[in-house]
PDB file of all heavy atoms in Angstrom:
ATOM      1  N   VAL A1137      -7.290  -4.056 -11.661  1.00 75.00           N
ATOM      2  CA  VAL A1137      -7.984  -4.310 -12.925  1.00 75.00           C
ATOM      3  C   VAL A1137      -8.816  -3.113 -13.368  1.00 75.00           C
ATOM      4  O   VAL A1137      -8.768  -2.705 -14.531  1.00 75.00           O
ATOM      5  CB  VAL A1137      -8.874  -5.564 -12.793  1.00 75.00           C
ATOM      6  CG1 VAL A1137      -9.730  -5.751 -14.046  1.00 75.00           C
ATOM      7  CG2 VAL A1137      -8.016  -6.793 -12.564  1.00 75.00           C
ATOM      8  N   PHE A1138      -9.586  -2.545 -12.429  1.00 79.00           N
ATOM      9  CA  PHE A1138     -10.549  -1.521 -12.814  1.00 79.00           C
ATOM     10  C   PHE A1138     -10.030  -0.096 -12.642  1.00 79.00           C
ATOM     11  O   PHE A1138     -10.574   0.832 -13.246  1.00 79.00           O
ATOM     12  CB  PHE A1138     -11.836  -1.703 -12.000  1.00 79.00           C
ATOM     13  CG  PHE A1138     -12.520  -3.013 -12.258  1.00 79.00           C
ATOM     14  CD1 PHE A1138     -12.494  -4.031 -11.324  1.00 79.00           C
ATOM     15  CD2 PHE A1138     -13.175  -3.246 -13.463  1.00 79.00           C
ATOM     16  CE1 PHE A1138     -13.113  -5.251 -11.557  1.00 79.00           C
ATOM     17  CE2 PHE A1138     -13.807  -4.458 -13.714  1.00 79.00           C
ATOM     18  CZ  PHE A1138     -13.769  -5.462 -12.771  1.00 79.00           C
ATOM     19  N   LEU A1139      -9.000   0.099 -11.820  1.00 79.00           N
ATOM     20  CA  LEU A1139      -8.395   1.432 -11.660  1.00 79.00           C
ATOM     21  C   LEU A1139      -6.876   1.311 -11.785  1.00 79.00           C
ATOM     22  O   LEU A1139      -6.137   1.560 -10.836  1.00 79.00           O
ATOM     23  CB  LEU A1139      -8.778   2.030 -10.301  1.00 79.00           C
ATOM     24  CG  LEU A1139     -10.248   2.354 -10.073  1.00 79.00           C
ATOM     25  CD1 LEU A1139     -10.484   2.765  -8.630  1.00 79.00           C
ATOM     26  CD2 LEU A1139     -10.730   3.459 -11.020  1.00 79.00           C
ATOM     27  N   PRO A1140      -6.395   0.932 -12.977  1.00 74.00           N
ATOM     28  CA  PRO A1140      -4.954   0.663 -13.125  1.00 74.00           C
ATOM     29  C   PRO A1140      -4.075   1.886 -12.910  1.00 74.00           C
ATOM     30  O   PRO A1140      -2.882   1.739 -12.616  1.00 74.00           O
ATOM     31  CB  PRO A1140      -4.844   0.146 -14.568  1.00 74.00           C
ATOM     32  CG  PRO A1140      -6.054   0.693 -15.259  1.00 74.00           C
ATOM     33  CD  PRO A1140      -7.130   0.734 -14.235  1.00 74.00           C
ATOM     34  N   ASP A1141      -4.631   3.082 -13.061  1.00 72.00           N
ATOM     35  CA  ASP A1141      -3.833   4.295 -12.882  1.00 72.00           C
ATOM     36  C   ASP A1141      -3.786   4.756 -11.425  1.00 72.00           C
ATOM     37  O   ASP A1141      -3.068   5.706 -11.106  1.00 72.00           O
ATOM     38  CB  ASP A1141      -4.397   5.428 -13.757  1.00 72.00           C
ATOM     39  CG  ASP A1141      -4.252   5.131 -15.235  1.00 72.00           C
ATOM     40  OD1 ASP A1141      -3.322   4.381 -15.596  1.00 72.00           O
ATOM     41  OD2 ASP A1141      -5.066   5.639 -16.029  1.00 72.00           O
ATOM     42  N   ASN A1142      -4.546   4.099 -10.562  1.00 76.00           N
ATOM     43  CA  ASN A1142      -4.534   4.470  -9.156  1.00 76.00           C
ATOM     44  C   ASN A1142      -3.172   4.141  -8.542  1.00 76.00           C
ATOM     45  O   ASN A1142      -2.628   3.069  -8.769  1.00 76.00           O
ATOM     46  CB  ASN A1142      -5.648   3.732  -8.408  1.00 76.00           C
ATOM     47  CG  ASN A1142      -5.828   4.238  -6.986  1.00 76.00           C
ATOM     48  OD1 ASN A1142      -5.042   3.940  -6.115  1.00 76.00           O
ATOM     49  ND2 ASN A1142      -6.885   5.004  -6.774  1.00 76.00           N
ATOM     50  N   GLN A1143      -2.652   5.052  -7.754  1.00 77.00           N
ATOM     51  CA  GLN A1143      -1.285   4.916  -7.233  1.00 77.00           C
ATOM     52  C   GLN A1143      -1.202   4.307  -5.840  1.00 77.00           C
ATOM     53  O   GLN A1143      -0.105   4.109  -5.316  1.00 77.00           O
ATOM     54  CB  GLN A1143      -0.625   6.310  -7.192  1.00 77.00           C
ATOM     55  CG  GLN A1143      -0.488   6.967  -8.550  1.00 77.00           C
ATOM     56  CD  GLN A1143       0.389   6.142  -9.474  1.00 77.00           C
ATOM     57  OE1 GLN A1143       1.532   5.842  -9.156  1.00 77.00           O
ATOM     58  NE2 GLN A1143      -0.148   5.764 -10.626  1.00 77.00           N
ATOM     59  N   ILE A1144      -2.343   3.953  -5.235  1.00 86.00           N
ATOM     60  CA  ILE A1144      -2.300   3.517  -3.841  1.00 86.00           C
ATOM     61  C   ILE A1144      -1.584   2.178  -3.687  1.00 86.00           C
ATOM     62  O   ILE A1144      -0.887   1.946  -2.698  1.00 86.00           O
ATOM     63  CB  ILE A1144      -3.734   3.444  -3.258  1.00 86.00           C
ATOM     64  CG1 ILE A1144      -3.640   3.339  -1.737  1.00 86.00           C
ATOM     65  CG2 ILE A1144      -4.530   2.278  -3.849  1.00 86.00           C
ATOM     66  CD1 ILE A1144      -4.960   3.591  -1.046  1.00 86.00           C
ATOM     67  N   LEU A1145      -1.696   1.282  -4.687  1.00 83.00           N
ATOM     68  CA  LEU A1145      -1.012  -0.007  -4.587  1.00 83.00           C
ATOM     69  C   LEU A1145       0.502   0.151  -4.679  1.00 83.00           C
ATOM     70  O   LEU A1145       1.247  -0.475  -3.922  1.00 83.00           O
ATOM     71  CB  LEU A1145      -1.503  -0.955  -5.690  1.00 83.00           C
ATOM     72  CG  LEU A1145      -2.941  -1.459  -5.546  1.00 83.00           C
ATOM     73  CD1 LEU A1145      -3.317  -2.336  -6.732  1.00 83.00           C
ATOM     74  CD2 LEU A1145      -3.129  -2.219  -4.251  1.00 83.00           C
ATOM     75  N   SER A1146       0.956   0.984  -5.608  1.00 79.00           N
ATOM     76  CA  SER A1146       2.402   1.196  -5.722  1.00 79.00           C
ATOM     77  C   SER A1146       2.933   1.927  -4.494  1.00 79.00           C
ATOM     78  O   SER A1146       4.047   1.650  -4.022  1.00 79.00           O
ATOM     79  CB  SER A1146       2.721   1.983  -6.991  1.00 79.00           C
ATOM     80  OG  SER A1146       2.056   3.224  -6.993  1.00 79.00           O
ATOM     81  N   LEU A1147       2.142   2.863  -3.944  1.00 84.00           N
ATOM     82  CA  LEU A1147       2.538   3.556  -2.721  1.00 84.00           C
ATOM     83  C   LEU A1147       2.673   2.575  -1.565  1.00 84.00           C
ATOM     84  O   LEU A1147       3.668   2.579  -0.834  1.00 84.00           O
ATOM     85  CB  LEU A1147       1.502   4.631  -2.376  1.00 84.00           C
ATOM     86  CG  LEU A1147       1.659   5.308  -1.005  1.00 84.00           C
ATOM     87  CD1 LEU A1147       2.954   6.103  -0.950  1.00 84.00           C
ATOM     88  CD2 LEU A1147       0.455   6.191  -0.689  1.00 84.00           C
ATOM     89  N   MET A1148       1.668   1.718  -1.415  1.00 88.00           N
ATOM     90  CA  MET A1148       1.701   0.734  -0.341  1.00 88.00           C
ATOM     91  C   MET A1148       2.894  -0.204  -0.498  1.00 88.00           C
ATOM     92  O   MET A1148       3.610  -0.490   0.473  1.00 88.00           O
ATOM     93  CB  MET A1148       0.394  -0.064  -0.328  1.00 88.00           C
ATOM     94  CG  MET A1148       0.307  -1.112   0.767  1.00 88.00           C
ATOM     95  SD  MET A1148      -1.291  -1.975   0.787  1.00 88.00           S
ATOM     96  CE  MET A1148      -1.156  -2.928  -0.749  1.00 88.00           C
ATOM     97  N   SER A1149       3.125  -0.683  -1.716  1.00 83.00           N
ATOM     98  CA  SER A1149       4.233  -1.607  -1.953  1.00 83.00           C
ATOM     99  C   SER A1149       5.570  -0.964  -1.616  1.00 83.00           C
ATOM    100  O   SER A1149       6.414  -1.565  -0.950  1.00 83.00           O
ATOM    101  CB  SER A1149       4.222  -2.075  -3.407  1.00 83.00           C
ATOM    102  OG  SER A1149       5.324  -2.906  -3.681  1.00 83.00           O
ATOM    103  N   SER A1150       5.774   0.278  -2.065  1.00 82.00           N
ATOM    104  CA  SER A1150       7.050   0.953  -1.807  1.00 82.00           C
ATOM    105  C   SER A1150       7.244   1.207  -0.317  1.00 82.00           C
ATOM    106  O   SER A1150       8.353   1.083   0.212  1.00 82.00           O
ATOM    107  CB  SER A1150       7.114   2.266  -2.586  1.00 82.00           C
ATOM    108  OG  SER A1150       6.095   3.160  -2.167  1.00 82.00           O
ATOM    109  N   GLN A1151       6.167   1.540   0.388  1.00 89.00           N
ATOM    110  CA  GLN A1151       6.271   1.776   1.829  1.00 89.00           C
ATOM    111  C   GLN A1151       6.635   0.500   2.579  1.00 89.00           C
ATOM    112  O   GLN A1151       7.498   0.507   3.467  1.00 89.00           O
ATOM    113  CB  GLN A1151       4.938   2.322   2.365  1.00 89.00           C
ATOM    114  CG  GLN A1151       4.647   3.754   1.962  1.00 89.00           C
ATOM    115  CD  GLN A1151       3.365   4.285   2.587  1.00 89.00           C
ATOM    116  OE1 GLN A1151       3.133   5.491   2.656  1.00 89.00           O
ATOM    117  NE2 GLN A1151       2.509   3.399   3.038  1.00 89.00           N
ATOM    118  N   LEU A1152       5.982  -0.590   2.216  1.00 90.00           N
ATOM    119  CA  LEU A1152       6.254  -1.857   2.899  1.00 90.00           C
ATOM    120  C   LEU A1152       7.667  -2.340   2.621  1.00 90.00           C
ATOM    121  O   LEU A1152       8.339  -2.899   3.501  1.00 90.00           O
ATOM    122  CB  LEU A1152       5.238  -2.912   2.464  1.00 90.00           C
ATOM    123  CG  LEU A1152       3.771  -2.625   2.811  1.00 90.00           C
ATOM    124  CD1 LEU A1152       2.875  -3.745   2.303  1.00 90.00           C
ATOM    125  CD2 LEU A1152       3.587  -2.441   4.313  1.00 90.00           C
ATOM    126  N   ARG A1153       8.130  -2.143   1.377  1.00 84.00           N
ATOM    127  CA  ARG A1153       9.492  -2.576   1.045  1.00 84.00           C
ATOM    128  C   ARG A1153      10.533  -1.729   1.764  1.00 84.00           C
ATOM    129  O   ARG A1153      11.540  -2.253   2.253  1.00 84.00           O
ATOM    130  CB  ARG A1153       9.702  -2.496  -0.465  1.00 84.00           C
ATOM    131  CG  ARG A1153       8.894  -3.530  -1.234  1.00 84.00           C
ATOM    132  CD  ARG A1153       9.155  -3.405  -2.737  1.00 84.00           C
ATOM    133  NE  ARG A1153       8.233  -4.244  -3.476  1.00 84.00           N
ATOM    134  CZ  ARG A1153       8.340  -5.560  -3.601  1.00 84.00           C
ATOM    135  NH1 ARG A1153       9.357  -6.181  -3.043  1.00 84.00           N
ATOM    136  NH2 ARG A1153       7.456  -6.259  -4.280  1.00 84.00           N
ATOM    137  N   SER A1154      10.305  -0.437   1.826  1.00 87.00           N
ATOM    138  CA  SER A1154      11.275   0.427   2.506  1.00 87.00           C
ATOM    139  C   SER A1154      11.334   0.116   3.998  1.00 87.00           C
ATOM    140  O   SER A1154      12.376   0.259   4.634  1.00 87.00           O
ATOM    141  CB  SER A1154      10.903   1.900   2.289  1.00 87.00           C
ATOM    142  OG  SER A1154       9.651   2.199   2.876  1.00 87.00           O
ATOM    143  N   ALA A1155      10.206  -0.326   4.571  1.00 90.00           N
ATOM    144  CA  ALA A1155      10.185  -0.703   5.986  1.00 90.00           C
ATOM    145  C   ALA A1155      10.637  -2.140   6.202  1.00 90.00           C
ATOM    146  O   ALA A1155      10.706  -2.597   7.351  1.00 90.00           O
ATOM    147  CB  ALA A1155       8.781  -0.518   6.548  1.00 90.00           C
ATOM    148  N   GLU A1156      10.926  -2.864   5.106  1.00 88.00           N
ATOM    149  CA  GLU A1156      11.371  -4.261   5.151  1.00 88.00           C
ATOM    150  C   GLU A1156      10.333  -5.169   5.818  1.00 88.00           C
ATOM    151  O   GLU A1156      10.667  -6.076   6.586  1.00 88.00           O
ATOM    152  CB  GLU A1156      12.724  -4.385   5.853  1.00 88.00           C
ATOM    153  CG  GLU A1156      13.846  -3.661   5.133  1.00 88.00           C
ATOM    154  CD  GLU A1156      15.199  -3.898   5.777  1.00 88.00           C
ATOM    155  OE1 GLU A1156      15.238  -4.495   6.882  1.00 88.00           O
ATOM    156  OE2 GLU A1156      16.208  -3.501   5.187  1.00 88.00           O
ATOM    157  N   ILE A1157       9.053  -4.929   5.518  1.00 91.00           N
ATOM    158  CA  ILE A1157       7.982  -5.766   6.071  1.00 91.00           C
ATOM    159  C   ILE A1157       7.103  -6.332   4.962  1.00 91.00           C
ATOM    160  O   ILE A1157       6.067  -6.948   5.254  1.00 91.00           O
ATOM    161  CB  ILE A1157       7.105  -4.973   7.071  1.00 91.00           C
ATOM    162  CG1 ILE A1157       6.522  -3.722   6.410  1.00 91.00           C
ATOM    163  CG2 ILE A1157       7.907  -4.599   8.300  1.00 91.00           C
ATOM    164  CD1 ILE A1157       5.577  -2.953   7.324  1.00 91.00           C
ATOM    165  N   TYR A1158       7.506  -6.171   3.706  1.00 87.00           N
ATOM    166  CA  TYR A1158       6.717  -6.690   2.589  1.00 87.00           C
ATOM    167  C   TYR A1158       6.689  -8.214   2.651  1.00 87.00           C
ATOM    168  O   TYR A1158       7.729  -8.868   2.706  1.00 87.00           O
ATOM    169  CB  TYR A1158       7.333  -6.234   1.272  1.00 87.00           C
ATOM    170  CG  TYR A1158       6.484  -6.546   0.051  1.00 87.00           C
ATOM    171  CD1 TYR A1158       5.527  -5.650  -0.392  1.00 87.00           C
ATOM    172  CD2 TYR A1158       6.647  -7.747  -0.645  1.00 87.00           C
ATOM    173  CE1 TYR A1158       4.756  -5.927  -1.499  1.00 87.00           C
ATOM    174  CE2 TYR A1158       5.870  -8.035  -1.747  1.00 87.00           C
ATOM    175  CZ  TYR A1158       4.927  -7.115  -2.175  1.00 87.00           C
ATOM    176  OH  TYR A1158       4.151  -7.407  -3.275  1.00 87.00           O
ATOM    177  N   GLY A1159       5.474  -8.780   2.670  1.00 84.00           N
ATOM    178  CA  GLY A1159       5.333 -10.229   2.698  1.00 84.00           C
ATOM    179  C   GLY A1159       5.321 -10.849   4.082  1.00 84.00           C
ATOM    180  O   GLY A1159       5.180 -12.065   4.211  1.00 84.00           O
ATOM    181  N   PHE A1160       5.450 -10.026   5.126  1.00 91.00           N
ATOM    182  CA  PHE A1160       5.433 -10.543   6.489  1.00 91.00           C
ATOM    183  C   PHE A1160       4.103 -10.183   7.162  1.00 91.00           C
ATOM    184  O   PHE A1160       3.463  -9.191   6.817  1.00 91.00           O
ATOM    185  CB  PHE A1160       6.582  -9.964   7.311  1.00 91.00           C
ATOM    186  CG  PHE A1160       7.938 -10.419   6.867  1.00 91.00           C
ATOM    187  CD1 PHE A1160       8.759  -9.590   6.112  1.00 91.00           C
ATOM    188  CD2 PHE A1160       8.404 -11.678   7.201  1.00 91.00           C
ATOM    189  CE1 PHE A1160      10.013 -10.008   5.688  1.00 91.00           C
ATOM    190  CE2 PHE A1160       9.657 -12.109   6.793  1.00 91.00           C
ATOM    191  CZ  PHE A1160      10.456 -11.267   6.032  1.00 91.00           C
ATOM    192  N   PHE A1161       3.708 -10.990   8.158  1.00 93.00           N
ATOM    193  CA  PHE A1161       2.512 -10.679   8.929  1.00 93.00           C
ATOM    194  C   PHE A1161       2.835  -9.569   9.925  1.00 93.00           C
ATOM    195  O   PHE A1161       3.844  -9.629  10.626  1.00 93.00           O
ATOM    196  CB  PHE A1161       2.018 -11.912   9.678  1.00 93.00           C
ATOM    197  CG  PHE A1161       1.449 -12.975   8.778  1.00 93.00           C
ATOM    198  CD1 PHE A1161       1.894 -14.283   8.861  1.00 93.00           C
ATOM    199  CD2 PHE A1161       0.457 -12.670   7.859  1.00 93.00           C
ATOM    200  CE1 PHE A1161       1.355 -15.270   8.036  1.00 93.00           C
ATOM    201  CE2 PHE A1161      -0.083 -13.639   7.033  1.00 93.00           C
ATOM    202  CZ  PHE A1161       0.365 -14.941   7.121  1.00 93.00           C
ATOM    203  N   PRO A1162       1.954  -8.551  10.056  1.00 95.00           N
ATOM    204  CA  PRO A1162       2.277  -7.398  10.909  1.00 95.00           C
ATOM    205  C   PRO A1162       1.577  -7.407  12.266  1.00 95.00           C
ATOM    206  O   PRO A1162       1.746  -6.460  13.027  1.00 95.00           O
ATOM    207  CB  PRO A1162       1.751  -6.225  10.075  1.00 95.00           C
ATOM    208  CG  PRO A1162       0.542  -6.794   9.406  1.00 95.00           C
ATOM    209  CD  PRO A1162       0.783  -8.275   9.204  1.00 95.00           C
ATOM    210  N   SER A1163       0.768  -8.415  12.582  1.00 96.00           N
ATOM    211  CA  SER A1163      -0.089  -8.466  13.764  1.00 96.00           C
ATOM    212  C   SER A1163      -1.240  -7.465  13.591  1.00 96.00           C
ATOM    213  O   SER A1163      -1.233  -6.605  12.707  1.00 96.00           O
ATOM    214  CB  SER A1163       0.680  -8.171  15.061  1.00 96.00           C
ATOM    215  OG  SER A1163       0.869  -6.785  15.240  1.00 96.00           O
ATOM    216  N   VAL A1164      -2.223  -7.577  14.457  1.00 97.00           N
ATOM    217  CA  VAL A1164      -3.392  -6.698  14.349  1.00 97.00           C
ATOM    218  C   VAL A1164      -3.001  -5.237  14.538  1.00 97.00           C
ATOM    219  O   VAL A1164      -3.518  -4.343  13.849  1.00 97.00           O
ATOM    220  CB  VAL A1164      -4.465  -7.114  15.389  1.00 97.00           C
ATOM    221  CG1 VAL A1164      -3.918  -7.099  16.805  1.00 97.00           C
ATOM    222  CG2 VAL A1164      -5.680  -6.204  15.297  1.00 97.00           C
ATOM    223  N   TRP A1165      -2.067  -4.981  15.447  1.00 97.00           N
ATOM    224  CA  TRP A1165      -1.718  -3.591  15.748  1.00 97.00           C
ATOM    225  C   TRP A1165      -0.954  -2.966  14.586  1.00 97.00           C
ATOM    226  O   TRP A1165      -1.217  -1.812  14.219  1.00 97.00           O
ATOM    227  CB  TRP A1165      -0.892  -3.528  17.025  1.00 97.00           C
ATOM    228  CG  TRP A1165      -1.320  -4.527  18.062  1.00 97.00           C
ATOM    229  CD1 TRP A1165      -0.602  -5.602  18.498  1.00 97.00           C
ATOM    230  CD2 TRP A1165      -2.570  -4.580  18.772  1.00 97.00           C
ATOM    231  NE1 TRP A1165      -1.310  -6.315  19.430  1.00 97.00           N
ATOM    232  CE2 TRP A1165      -2.525  -5.715  19.621  1.00 97.00           C
ATOM    233  CE3 TRP A1165      -3.706  -3.778  18.764  1.00 97.00           C
ATOM    234  CZ2 TRP A1165      -3.574  -6.065  20.458  1.00 97.00           C
ATOM    235  CZ3 TRP A1165      -4.766  -4.128  19.597  1.00 97.00           C
ATOM    236  CH2 TRP A1165      -4.694  -5.247  20.426  1.00 97.00           C
ATOM    237  N   GLY A1166      -0.022  -3.710  13.986  1.00 97.00           N
ATOM    238  CA  GLY A1166       0.707  -3.174  12.847  1.00 97.00           C
ATOM    239  C   GLY A1166      -0.176  -2.983  11.637  1.00 97.00           C
ATOM    240  O   GLY A1166      -0.080  -1.969  10.932  1.00 97.00           O
ATOM    241  N   ALA A1167      -1.063  -3.946  11.363  1.00 96.00           N
ATOM    242  CA  ALA A1167      -1.958  -3.837  10.212  1.00 96.00           C
ATOM    243  C   ALA A1167      -2.904  -2.649  10.365  1.00 96.00           C
ATOM    244  O   ALA A1167      -3.172  -1.923   9.395  1.00 96.00           O
ATOM    245  CB  ALA A1167      -2.756  -5.125  10.042  1.00 96.00           C
ATOM    246  N   ALA A1168      -3.408  -2.444  11.581  1.00 97.00           N
ATOM    247  CA  ALA A1168      -4.307  -1.312  11.818  1.00 97.00           C
ATOM    248  C   ALA A1168      -3.598   0.014  11.568  1.00 97.00           C
ATOM    249  O   ALA A1168      -4.181   0.948  10.989  1.00 97.00           O
ATOM    250  CB  ALA A1168      -4.844  -1.364  13.244  1.00 97.00           C
ATOM    251  N   TYR A1169      -2.325   0.109  11.972  1.00 97.00           N
ATOM    252  CA  TYR A1169      -1.578   1.350  11.742  1.00 97.00           C
ATOM    253  C   TYR A1169      -1.287   1.551  10.260  1.00 97.00           C
ATOM    254  O   TYR A1169      -1.408   2.668   9.743  1.00 97.00           O
ATOM    255  CB  TYR A1169      -0.273   1.331  12.535  1.00 97.00           C
ATOM    256  CG  TYR A1169       0.476   2.642  12.443  1.00 97.00           C
ATOM    257  CD1 TYR A1169       0.188   3.678  13.330  1.00 97.00           C
ATOM    258  CD2 TYR A1169       1.439   2.850  11.463  1.00 97.00           C
ATOM    259  CE1 TYR A1169       0.859   4.893  13.238  1.00 97.00           C
ATOM    260  CE2 TYR A1169       2.114   4.057  11.368  1.00 97.00           C
ATOM    261  CZ  TYR A1169       1.811   5.074  12.253  1.00 97.00           C
ATOM    262  OH  TYR A1169       2.469   6.284  12.152  1.00 97.00           O
ATOM    263  N   ILE A1170      -0.901   0.493   9.556  1.00 96.00           N
ATOM    264  CA  ILE A1170      -0.604   0.610   8.131  1.00 96.00           C
ATOM    265  C   ILE A1170      -1.827   1.082   7.359  1.00 96.00           C
ATOM    266  O   ILE A1170      -1.731   1.920   6.462  1.00 96.00           O
ATOM    267  CB  ILE A1170      -0.103  -0.738   7.576  1.00 96.00           C
ATOM    268  CG1 ILE A1170       1.267  -1.071   8.164  1.00 96.00           C
ATOM    269  CG2 ILE A1170      -0.012  -0.712   6.052  1.00 96.00           C
ATOM    270  CD1 ILE A1170       1.731  -2.485   7.872  1.00 96.00           C
ATOM    271  N   ASP A1171      -2.987   0.572   7.722  1.00 96.00           N
ATOM    272  CA  ASP A1171      -4.204   0.922   6.993  1.00 96.00           C
ATOM    273  C   ASP A1171      -4.767   2.282   7.374  1.00 96.00           C
ATOM    274  O   ASP A1171      -5.227   3.031   6.504  1.00 96.00           O
ATOM    275  CB  ASP A1171      -5.276  -0.141   7.220  1.00 96.00           C
ATOM    276  CG  ASP A1171      -5.362  -1.134   6.070  1.00 96.00           C
ATOM    277  OD1 ASP A1171      -5.031  -0.763   4.938  1.00 96.00           O
ATOM    278  OD2 ASP A1171      -5.756  -2.292   6.310  1.00 96.00           O
ATOM    279  N   PHE A1172      -4.730   2.639   8.674  1.00 96.00           N
ATOM    280  CA  PHE A1172      -5.493   3.803   9.129  1.00 96.00           C
ATOM    281  C   PHE A1172      -4.695   4.830   9.925  1.00 96.00           C
ATOM    282  O   PHE A1172      -5.269   5.829  10.370  1.00 96.00           O
ATOM    283  CB  PHE A1172      -6.681   3.330   9.982  1.00 96.00           C
ATOM    284  CG  PHE A1172      -7.552   2.317   9.293  1.00 96.00           C
ATOM    285  CD1 PHE A1172      -7.558   0.995   9.717  1.00 96.00           C
ATOM    286  CD2 PHE A1172      -8.339   2.669   8.214  1.00 96.00           C
ATOM    287  CE1 PHE A1172      -8.352   0.055   9.094  1.00 96.00           C
ATOM    288  CE2 PHE A1172      -9.135   1.733   7.565  1.00 96.00           C
ATOM    289  CZ  PHE A1172      -9.148   0.428   8.006  1.00 96.00           C
ATOM    290  N   GLY A1173      -3.394   4.630  10.119  1.00 95.00           N
ATOM    291  CA  GLY A1173      -2.639   5.572  10.922  1.00 95.00           C
ATOM    292  C   GLY A1173      -2.955   5.412  12.402  1.00 95.00           C
ATOM    293  O   GLY A1173      -3.749   4.556  12.808  1.00 95.00           O
ATOM    294  N   ALA A1174      -2.365   6.260  13.226  1.00 95.00           N
ATOM    295  CA  ALA A1174      -2.501   6.111  14.679  1.00 95.00           C
ATOM    296  C   ALA A1174      -3.938   6.325  15.145  1.00 95.00           C
ATOM    297  O   ALA A1174      -4.514   5.480  15.840  1.00 95.00           O
ATOM    298  CB  ALA A1174      -1.568   7.090  15.391  1.00 95.00           C
ATOM    299  N   SER A1175      -4.547   7.452  14.766  1.00 96.00           N
ATOM    300  CA  SER A1175      -5.917   7.751  15.215  1.00 96.00           C
ATOM    301  C   SER A1175      -6.911   6.742  14.642  1.00 96.00           C
ATOM    302  O   SER A1175      -7.785   6.240  15.352  1.00 96.00           O
ATOM    303  CB  SER A1175      -6.303   9.168  14.798  1.00 96.00           C
ATOM    304  OG  SER A1175      -5.436  10.121  15.369  1.00 96.00           O
ATOM    305  N   GLY A1176      -6.776   6.457  13.346  1.00 96.00           N
ATOM    306  CA  GLY A1176      -7.678   5.494  12.727  1.00 96.00           C
ATOM    307  C   GLY A1176      -7.539   4.111  13.313  1.00 96.00           C
ATOM    308  O   GLY A1176      -8.520   3.379  13.459  1.00 96.00           O
ATOM    309  N   ALA A1177      -6.307   3.733  13.690  1.00 97.00           N
ATOM    310  CA  ALA A1177      -6.087   2.419  14.279  1.00 97.00           C
ATOM    311  C   ALA A1177      -6.804   2.305  15.627  1.00 97.00           C
ATOM    312  O   ALA A1177      -7.383   1.254  15.950  1.00 97.00           O
ATOM    313  CB  ALA A1177      -4.590   2.169  14.456  1.00 97.00           C
TER     314      ALA A1177
END
């Protein structure tokens, strides 16, 4: 709503779809990696 030109949502959506995990639960370990990468997780 407030940052419609921001590309992070479309980036996230395309990544999840290409990995065939869009709409599925990823567990804590998968979610941590998706959000923050290996070191951040």
Side-chain angles (χ1 to χ4, degrees):
V1137 173
F1138 297 107
L1139 295 173
D1141 294 333
N1142 189 284
Q1143 298 299 304
I1144 194 166
L1145 290 178
S1146 58
L1147 171 65
M1148 181 177 69
S1149 177
S1150 62
Q1151 288 184 162
L1152 297 179
R1153 291 180 189 283
S1154 64
E1156 297 185 351
I1157 56 176
Y1158 188 89
F1160 293 102
F1161 290 128
S1163 80
V1164 57
W1165 323 113
Y1169 186 87
I1170 292 170
D1171 261 332
F1172 306 109
S1175 300

